Amino acid sequence: MARPDLLDPVLGDLDTRIREALAVAGLPDADPELEKPKQPEHGDWATTAALRLAKPAARNPREVAQLIVDHLEVPEVVDEVSIAGPGFVNFRFAHRYHEDLVRQVVAAGPRYGRSVKPEEQRRAVNVEFVSANPTGPLHVGAGRWAATGDAIAELLEAAGDTVVREYYVNDAGEQIRRFGESVVLVATGQDLGDEHYRGRAIVGVARELVETHGDGLFDVQPGDDDVVGDETAGVQHRDGVLDDHEVAETRPPAGERAGPAAADQRVHPGVSARVGVLGVEVMRRRIEHVLHTMGVDFDVWFSERDGLHGTGAVEATVAELRERGQAYEADGALFLRTTDHGDDKDRALIRSDGRPTYFAADCAYLRDKWSRADQLYYLLGADHHGYVDRLRAAAACLGVPEDRVEIRIGQLVNLLRAGEPVRMSKRAGETVDLDEVIEEVGVDVVRYHFLRQGLDTTIDFDLAVVAQQSMENPVYYVQYAHARINSLIRTADERGFDHGTLDEVDLSLLTHPAELELLTAMAQLPLVVAQAAELRATQRLARYAEDLAGTFHRFYTECRILAPADATDEQRAEQEAVGRARYWLAVAAKQVLANALGLLRVTAPERM
RNA sequence: GCCCCCGUAGCUCAGUGGAUAGAGCACCGGCCUCCGGAGCCGGAAGCGUAGGUUCGAUUCCUACCGGGGGUACCA
């Protein structure tokens, strides 16, 4: 678990001393796991070590707590140590600790909340997310993976790891030919079959291709005859998460998916393949653009076609798996022994007709990533959960340690409007894509809505609700707190408020309960960030931001900073000293709010 | 059939084995002659059911009930 001692020297010292006390008392070693008591009156920090040591020490928890307290060399900064409840050891810190916090926050600025890992614990993490098929526009569901994957990447960086954000572009195989075929038919005004991709996006791609390449694009060209028997034949991939109502829009009907589909006789397969490659790139760029509007910028767009099939990586991977003795032939096909590693059945790598399966490409991709990173994180939608076991098994077959491959499944998103499912009318080609939702409600709302809920809850995204600028949208609550502080600072400047410098201000005047609560809330950020990163749980940080905003609003309501505009000189003078301390507290609180929002990559507006 | 996720306040959701289970919305009642009322304070209201493990279970295990998703030498 996150070690507060790595985040804060004062907590680090306390952590060390508790460990020493355990040793001196003859108790087993244990991580003190310093935490914030739920009730403020219990103190500033607490350890549960006694509770967890009760069993190994064969004593009751309160006795163990007493032993710890008896042997603890209490740090100077701790004013009070107490035992409470079943065996908590609570610490109340001297006021000086809180005063230091304000200075620490202001000094660290945007870095407050981030931490550094010791070299040996630092990981190069590859975070793969979204990876939607480039054969259609991004749906709302993909927005969830975009927001979540991006924020998790940010959290990991904040916790001291290095991160690569990666998008796997599934641009090889049968689906590309079919996509190209669809584009050709659309561009030449012919009817589409049930197996074809359709919708505004296809029309847009067709139009753009004609503009850039001319009509000759659709004529048979030299080389087009070579593509028959495409060696990459393969695959439609983990296409992000589709709303169930939307699946039919981008995925050919089930009946069409069995086996290599018969090519449409109206279009030369070579033309389809060539146009497909071009069209997919156009679509990919559009996806890239939408993600960019969402604030998500990938470091690597990994092309299956260029990166795996084009480099022989698939063959090399299959060869390695054979060498490792993890593959065997049966019925003319080649299978991977995934059942040795927890899968239900062995999976085919090479079909009996010699073509590699999609799974083979997946193995090659995993191997490629493992050569570039030492921790692999996959964020997949629940519609791909059936894929998890074989992916884990593939990693095991390739010799990747179990704890270095993390595959997380997120539940899907239901798109609603005023409680009614937004149904996709296939005939009308009516869909609601991610870019339209962003347009309608704004990036921050979309991102935050996805980030404040855990990955394993299904999210209802109701356009009617989310469009309201009210507390149905907690992001506004947090942003409002930030804007409000900014307004406060602005007003202070306008009135010529003399806030002095942080060095000279007397922060010991911050004694109001609302001030102390704000201070202790601010002190939590580094720990919250570390825990959120460790758990890959963005909602931890979002909920923290909401709590912090609430704590600030209470402080704001109860504690005046500026004297009233019509105050007498006496009132003004009286207010001045404490007002200065509060001013700096507000400045620090603004920084913490900005940092929390920044880690979620949600904007912290100066005014709204 | 098998696998995965969920079930916490009227609603939407937090809560990595610990103290009195928390927010928002909705409802009821209050709050500044003054720094942004997109705010603050108060009230009422809850762990699906039954077992088990544990000093301690919303949390872990089993069964059941209810809801959602997935199940291919497919692409």
Side-chain angles (χ1 to χ4, degrees):
Chain A
M1 193 30 76
R3 297 271 303 273
D5 52 304
L6 297 172
L7 311 170
D8 180 320
V10 174
L11 295 183
D13 179 51
L14 181 57
D15 182 285
T16 305
R17 292 184 192 228
I18 293 170
R19 287 170 194 272
E20 285 167 3
L22 295 177
V24 176
L27 292 163
D29 188 35
D31 189 333
E33 287 194 13
L34 291 167
E35 62 179 42
K36 174 82 186 154
K38 284 179 187 162
Q39 309 297 320
E41 52 272 24
H42 286 131
D44 295 304
W45 291 93
T47 175
T48 56
L51 294 162
R52 280 171 295 107
L53 283 173
K55 180 178 296 207
R59 316 280 290 262
N60 86 49
R62 290 200 59 118
E63 280 177 39
V64 177
Q66 191 60 53
L67 276 173
I68 294 174
V69 172
D70 288 347
H71 293 84
L72 183 68
E73 199 179 318
V74 180
E76 193 196 345
V77 72
V78 173
D79 267 1
E80 187 187 327
V81 182
S82 59
I83 298 171
F88 290 93
V89 179
N90 295 324
F91 303 97
R92 184 170 304 285
F93 282 25
H95 196 272
R96 178 170 58 77
Y97 173 75
H98 302 300
E99 296 170 32
D100 288 345
L101 178 76
V102 174
R103 298 194 166 92
Q104 188 189 332
V105 168
V106 174
R111 290 192 319 281
Y112 179 70
R114 308 182 85 98
S115 56
V116 180
K117 275 188 181 173
E119 184 81 39
E120 67 275 11
Q121 288 176 25
R122 207 173 301 156
R123 295 268 169 95
V125 189
N126 180 291
V127 180
E128 187 206 326
F129 57 110
V130 186
S131 295
N133 263 336
T135 51
L138 291 181
H139 299 77
V140 181
R144 180 174 192 177
W145 315 129
T148 307
D150 191 42
I152 287 172
E154 193 70 19
L155 281 168
L156 291 174
E157 281 176 345
D161 290 316
T162 59
V163 175
V164 166
R165 293 169 167 83
E166 186 152 328
Y167 188 119
Y168 183 57
V169 185
N170 198 221
D171 56 0
E174 162 65 16
Q175 63 159 346
I176 301 308
R177 202 217 83 243
R178 186 167 10 217
F179 179 71
E181 194 172 276
S182 308
V183 171
V184 173
L185 292 173
V186 164
T188 54
Q190 300 184 64
D191 292 338
L192 292 171
D194 285 343
E195 74 277 22
H196 291 122
Y197 297 97
R198 62 191 63 229
R200 285 160 303 185
I202 302 289
V203 176
V205 169
R207 191 172 293 141
E208 182 171 333
L209 285 179
V210 169
E211 278 171 15
T212 52
H213 297 271
D215 288 334
L217 179 68
F218 305 128
D219 299 333
V220 177
Q221 296 177 3
D224 282 348
D225 284 326
D226 300 343
V227 301
V228 184
D230 180 3
E231 79 287 352
T232 67
V235 280
Q236 176 168 335
H237 183 35
R238 310 187 296 269
D239 41 358
V241 170
L242 300 182
D243 185 294
D244 55 344
H245 307 301
E246 301 174 70
V247 168
E249 280 297 314
T250 53
R251 189 181 280 180
E256 288 296 326
R257 284 192 266 139
D264 192 301
Q265 292 174 352
R266 293 172 294 175
V267 185
H268 186 289
V271 174
S272 295
R274 181 165 46 79
V275 172
V277 170
L278 294 171
V280 155
E281 176 53 18
V282 170
M283 192 68 85
R284 189 200 65 76
R285 283 203 306 270
R286 293 186 177 195
I287 289 171
E288 185 172 8
H289 176 75
V290 173
L291 289 169
H292 178 74
T293 359
M294 236 187 113
V296 180
D297 296 294
F298 284 87
D299 300 303
V300 175
W301 291 81
F302 192 93
S303 161
E304 179 191 357
R305 178 187 177 81
D306 299 338
L308 299 179
H309 297 292
T311 61
V314 176
E315 292 82 345
T317 303
V318 170
E320 179 177 336
L321 289 167
R322 276 184 197 266
E323 280 166 28
R324 287 175 171 273
Q326 302 288 344
Y328 65 92
E329 287 184 41
D331 305 327
L334 187 72
F335 289 84
L336 188 65
R337 298 184 191 282
T338 54
T339 46
D340 288 358
H341 306 281
D343 198 5
D344 294 338
K345 50 181 292 190
D346 288 338
R347 306 291 169 172
L349 289 167
I350 309 286
R351 297 185 185 83
S352 49
D353 64 6
R355 294 179 304 144
T357 59
Y358 159 65
F359 179 58
D362 252 10
C363 293
Y365 183 43
L366 193 151
R367 180 170 170 264
D368 187 277
K369 286 200 286 194
W370 181 239
S371 74
R372 296 182 278 127
D374 47 40
Q375 180 84 29
L376 305 182
Y377 181 92
Y378 288 81
L379 179 57
L380 303 180
D383 48 347
H384 293 97
H385 106 266
Y387 222 82
V388 175
D389 283 348
R390 81 191 68 164
L391 208 50
R392 286 216 174 94
C397 289
L398 284 164
V400 180
E402 197 177 348
D403 63 341
R404 297 303 183 95
V405 181
E406 247 179 290
I407 304 168
R408 297 288 280 254
I409 293 299
Q411 298 303 309
L412 305 185
V413 176
N414 295 317
L415 184 61
L416 309 172
R417 194 184 288 277
E420 294 299 313
V422 175
R423 299 218 167 261
M424 303 299 145
S425 161
K426 215 183 159 186
R427 277 163 313 196
E430 180 200 336
T431 64
V432 179
D433 299 330
L434 179 58
D435 53 345
E436 295 167 307
V437 172
I438 292 173
E439 179 82 18
E440 191 168 332
V441 304
V443 172
D444 287 339
V445 168
V446 172
R447 287 191 70 119
Y448 194 83
H449 195 76
F450 288 141
L451 294 175
R452 77 186 295 271
Q453 247 177 79
L455 266 184
D456 42 19
T457 63
T458 302
I459 292 183
D460 287 334
F461 194 93
D462 192 318
L463 289 164
V465 172
V466 146
Q468 298 170 29
Q469 295 198 7
S470 69
M471 268 309 283
E472 293 287 351
N473 272 325
V475 66
Y476 291 125
Y477 181 75
V478 181
Q479 290 182 320
Y480 176 66
H482 184 268
R484 205 179 195 188
I485 299 175
N486 186 61
S487 164
L488 176 59
I489 292 171
R490 202 169 52 229
T491 304
D493 289 344
E494 284 165 10
R495 294 192 191 171
F497 176 72
D498 175 20
H499 51 69
T501 68
L502 190 50
D503 286 336
E504 64 194 24
V505 67
D506 182 6
L507 295 172
S508 71
L509 297 172
L510 298 175
T511 54
H512 189 284
E515 293 165 342
L516 295 174
E517 272 185 49
L518 183 54
L519 284 162
T520 53
M522 286 163 44
Q524 305 304 310
L525 182 69
L527 193 57
V528 171
V529 170
Q531 291 178 339
E534 201 160 292
L535 298 168
R536 287 87 164 101
T538 59
Q539 77 276 15
R540 293 281 178 137
L541 190 51
R543 303 293 174 148
Y544 168 77
E546 290 170 31
D547 285 347
L548 181 62
T551 308
F552 172 78
H553 284 309
R554 271 187 292 283
F555 157 75
Y556 182 93
T557 302
E558 297 189 33
C559 300
R560 252 205 104 71
I561 293 168
L562 303 176
D566 59 355
T568 63
D569 288 346
E570 287 157 55
Q571 288 170 324
R572 225 172 267 284
E574 192 182 345
Q575 172 72 26
E576 201 171 15
V578 68
R580 269 204 283 268
R582 286 172 176 170
Y583 174 91
W584 286 105
L585 174 59
V587 167
K590 180 186 172 190
Q591 184 71 59
V592 179
L593 280 168
N595 291 4
L597 288 170
L599 287 166
L600 295 171
R601 310 195 99 231
V602 169
T603 60
E606 298 295 312
R607 57 180 78 204
M608 351 185 1

mmCIF file of all heavy atoms in Angstrom, chain A residues 32-49:
data_model
loop_
_atom_site.group_PDB
_atom_site.id
_atom_site.type_symbol
_atom_site.label_atom_id
_atom_site.label_comp_id
_atom_site.label_asym_id
_atom_site.label_seq_id
_atom_site.Cartn_x
_atom_site.Cartn_y
_atom_site.Cartn_z
ATOM 1 N N PRO A 32 2.873 0.478 9.351
ATOM 2 C CA PRO A 32 1.946 1.268 10.184
ATOM 3 C C PRO A 32 0.698 1.704 9.412
ATOM 4 O O PRO A 32 -0.340 1.937 10.019
ATOM 5 C CB PRO A 32 2.789 2.482 10.572
ATOM 6 C CG PRO A 32 4.199 2.025 10.459
ATOM 7 C CD PRO A 32 4.213 1.039 9.329
ATOM 8 N N GLU A 33 0.813 1.788 8.091
ATOM 9 C CA GLU A 33 -0.333 2.198 7.277
ATOM 10 C C GLU A 33 -1.074 3.374 7.891
ATOM 11 O O GLU A 33 -2.247 3.290 8.260
ATOM 12 C CB GLU A 33 -1.301 1.021 7.057
ATOM 13 C CG GLU A 33 -0.735 0.006 6.088
ATOM 14 C CD GLU A 33 -1.769 -0.982 5.578
ATOM 15 O OE1 GLU A 33 -2.982 -0.740 5.775
ATOM 16 O OE2 GLU A 33 -1.361 -1.982 4.972
ATOM 17 N N LEU A 34 -0.370 4.454 7.968
ATOM 18 C CA LEU A 34 -0.973 5.659 8.524
ATOM 19 C C LEU A 34 -2.164 6.081 7.690
ATOM 20 O O LEU A 34 -2.122 6.068 6.465
ATOM 21 C CB LEU A 34 0.072 6.782 8.561
ATOM 22 C CG LEU A 34 1.186 6.525 9.579
ATOM 23 C CD1 LEU A 34 2.333 7.476 9.355
ATOM 24 C CD2 LEU A 34 0.650 6.629 10.983
ATOM 25 N N GLU A 35 -3.238 6.397 8.351
ATOM 26 C CA GLU A 35 -4.429 6.808 7.631
ATOM 27 C C GLU A 35 -5.105 7.951 8.354
ATOM 28 O O GLU A 35 -4.800 8.265 9.500
ATOM 29 C CB GLU A 35 -5.395 5.631 7.480
ATOM 30 C CG GLU A 35 -5.883 5.107 8.828
ATOM 31 C CD GLU A 35 -6.870 3.955 8.669
ATOM 32 O OE1 GLU A 35 -6.612 3.099 7.812
ATOM 33 O OE2 GLU A 35 -7.868 3.941 9.412
ATOM 34 N N LYS A 36 -6.045 8.532 7.637
ATOM 35 C CA LYS A 36 -6.775 9.684 8.159
ATOM 36 C C LYS A 36 -7.992 9.164 8.922
ATOM 37 O O LYS A 36 -8.821 8.462 8.369
ATOM 38 C CB LYS A 36 -7.225 10.514 6.964
ATOM 39 C CG LYS A 36 -8.118 11.665 7.298
ATOM 40 C CD LYS A 36 -7.332 12.835 7.762
ATOM 41 C CE LYS A 36 -8.286 13.917 8.230
ATOM 42 N NZ LYS A 36 -7.624 14.757 9.218
ATOM 43 N N PRO A 37 -8.112 9.494 10.217
ATOM 44 C CA PRO A 37 -9.305 9.040 10.943
ATOM 45 C C PRO A 37 -10.567 9.628 10.315
ATOM 46 O O PRO A 37 -10.551 10.751 9.822
ATOM 47 C CB PRO A 37 -9.091 9.596 12.349
ATOM 48 C CG PRO A 37 -7.645 9.893 12.449
ATOM 49 C CD PRO A 37 -7.204 10.246 11.069
ATOM 50 N N LYS A 38 -11.627 8.853 10.359
ATOM 51 C CA LYS A 38 -12.870 9.356 9.769
ATOM 52 C C LYS A 38 -13.423 10.538 10.544
ATOM 53 O O LYS A 38 -13.949 11.480 9.978
ATOM 54 C CB LYS A 38 -13.914 8.234 9.734
ATOM 55 C CG LYS A 38 -13.644 7.221 8.629
ATOM 56 C CD LYS A 38 -14.662 6.113 8.628
ATOM 57 C CE LYS A 38 -14.265 5.041 7.622
ATOM 58 N NZ LYS A 38 -14.930 3.772 7.837
ATOM 59 N N GLN A 39 -13.306 10.449 11.851
ATOM 60 C CA GLN A 39 -13.783 11.553 12.670
ATOM 61 C C GLN A 39 -12.615 12.475 12.993
ATOM 62 O O GLN A 39 -11.632 12.019 13.571
ATOM 63 C CB GLN A 39 -14.370 11.024 13.979
ATOM 64 C CG GLN A 39 -15.399 9.924 13.793
ATOM 65 C CD GLN A 39 -16.617 10.392 13.039
ATOM 66 O OE1 GLN A 39 -17.088 11.503 13.253
ATOM 67 N NE2 GLN A 39 -17.123 9.567 12.135
ATOM 68 N N PRO A 40 -12.737 13.744 12.658
ATOM 69 C CA PRO A 40 -11.630 14.679 12.891
ATOM 70 C C PRO A 40 -11.201 14.711 14.351
ATOM 71 O O PRO A 40 -10.021 14.867 14.657
ATOM 72 C CB PRO A 40 -12.207 16.031 12.468
ATOM 73 C CG PRO A 40 -13.434 15.737 11.677
ATOM 74 C CD PRO A 40 -13.898 14.377 12.059
ATOM 75 N N GLU A 41 -12.160 14.526 15.270
ATOM 76 C CA GLU A 41 -11.802 14.639 16.686
ATOM 77 C C GLU A 41 -10.891 13.501 17.145
ATOM 78 O O GLU A 41 -10.319 13.534 18.224
ATOM 79 C CB GLU A 41 -13.067 14.714 17.570
ATOM 80 C CG GLU A 41 -14.084 13.638 17.344
ATOM 81 C CD GLU A 41 -15.092 13.981 16.239
ATOM 82 O OE1 GLU A 41 -14.785 14.797 15.347
ATOM 83 O OE2 GLU A 41 -16.174 13.409 16.261
ATOM 84 N N HIS A 42 -10.768 12.464 16.308
ATOM 85 C CA HIS A 42 -9.874 11.368 16.675
ATOM 86 C C HIS A 42 -8.412 11.731 16.466
ATOM 87 O O HIS A 42 -7.521 11.032 16.929
ATOM 88 C CB HIS A 42 -10.202 10.111 15.868
ATOM 89 C CG HIS A 42 -11.460 9.437 16.332
ATOM 90 N ND1 HIS A 42 -12.448 9.045 15.477
ATOM 91 C CD2 HIS A 42 -11.891 9.127 17.570
ATOM 92 C CE1 HIS A 42 -13.440 8.507 16.170
ATOM 93 N NE2 HIS A 42 -13.129 8.548 17.447
ATOM 94 N N GLY A 43 -8.183 12.780 15.703
ATOM 95 C CA GLY A 43 -6.795 13.178 15.491
ATOM 96 C C GLY A 43 -6.505 13.429 14.027
ATOM 97 O O GLY A 43 -7.405 13.387 13.183
ATOM 98 N N ASP A 44 -5.241 13.695 13.755
ATOM 99 C CA ASP A 44 -4.855 14.010 12.383
ATOM 100 C C ASP A 44 -4.503 12.763 11.590
ATOM 101 O O ASP A 44 -4.795 12.663 10.407
ATOM 102 C CB ASP A 44 -3.653 14.960 12.399
ATOM 103 C CG ASP A 44 -4.019 16.304 13.024
ATOM 104 O OD1 ASP A 44 -4.966 16.927 12.537
ATOM 105 O OD2 ASP A 44 -3.373 16.705 14.004
ATOM 106 N N TRP A 45 -3.835 11.843 12.238
ATOM 107 C CA TRP A 45 -3.460 10.600 11.575
ATOM 108 C C TRP A 45 -3.629 9.465 12.571
ATOM 109 O O TRP A 45 -3.662 9.687 13.781
ATOM 110 C CB TRP A 45 -2.002 10.644 11.079
ATOM 111 C CG TRP A 45 -1.812 11.601 9.928
ATOM 112 C CD1 TRP A 45 -1.445 12.915 10.020
ATOM 113 C CD2 TRP A 45 -1.997 11.333 8.544
ATOM 114 N NE1 TRP A 45 -1.397 13.472 8.766
ATOM 115 C CE2 TRP A 45 -1.722 12.535 7.836
ATOM 116 C CE3 TRP A 45 -2.359 10.190 7.810
ATOM 117 C CZ2 TRP A 45 -1.813 12.626 6.447
ATOM 118 C CZ3 TRP A 45 -2.437 10.279 6.432
ATOM 119 C CH2 TRP A 45 -2.172 11.488 5.754
ATOM 120 N N ALA A 46 -3.719 8.247 12.042
ATOM 121 C CA ALA A 46 -3.872 7.097 12.928
ATOM 122 C C ALA A 46 -3.172 5.906 12.297
ATOM 123 O O ALA A 46 -2.954 5.863 11.096
ATOM 124 C CB ALA A 46 -5.353 6.780 13.119
ATOM 125 N N THR A 47 -2.806 4.952 13.161
ATOM 126 C CA THR A 47 -2.267 3.704 12.628
ATOM 127 C C THR A 47 -3.152 2.551 13.082
ATOM 128 O O THR A 47 -3.689 2.552 14.194
ATOM 129 C CB THR A 47 -0.821 3.438 13.084
ATOM 130 O OG1 THR A 47 -0.430 2.139 12.614
ATOM 131 C CG2 THR A 47 -0.689 3.492 14.595
ATOM 132 N N THR A 48 -3.290 1.582 12.202
ATOM 133 C CA THR A 48 -4.089 0.393 12.526
ATOM 134 C C THR A 48 -3.179 -0.797 12.818
ATOM 135 O O THR A 48 -3.637 -1.939 12.849
ATOM 136 C CB THR A 48 -5.016 0.021 11.358
ATOM 137 O OG1 THR A 48 -4.204 -0.154 10.180
ATOM 138 C CG2 THR A 48 -6.047 1.098 11.105
ATOM 139 N N ALA A 49 -1.906 -0.501 13.013
ATOM 140 C CA ALA A 49 -0.940 -1.589 13.208
ATOM 141 C C ALA A 49 -1.362 -2.536 14.336
ATOM 142 O O ALA A 49 -1.261 -3.749 14.211
ATOM 143 C CB ALA A 49 0.437 -1.004 13.489
#
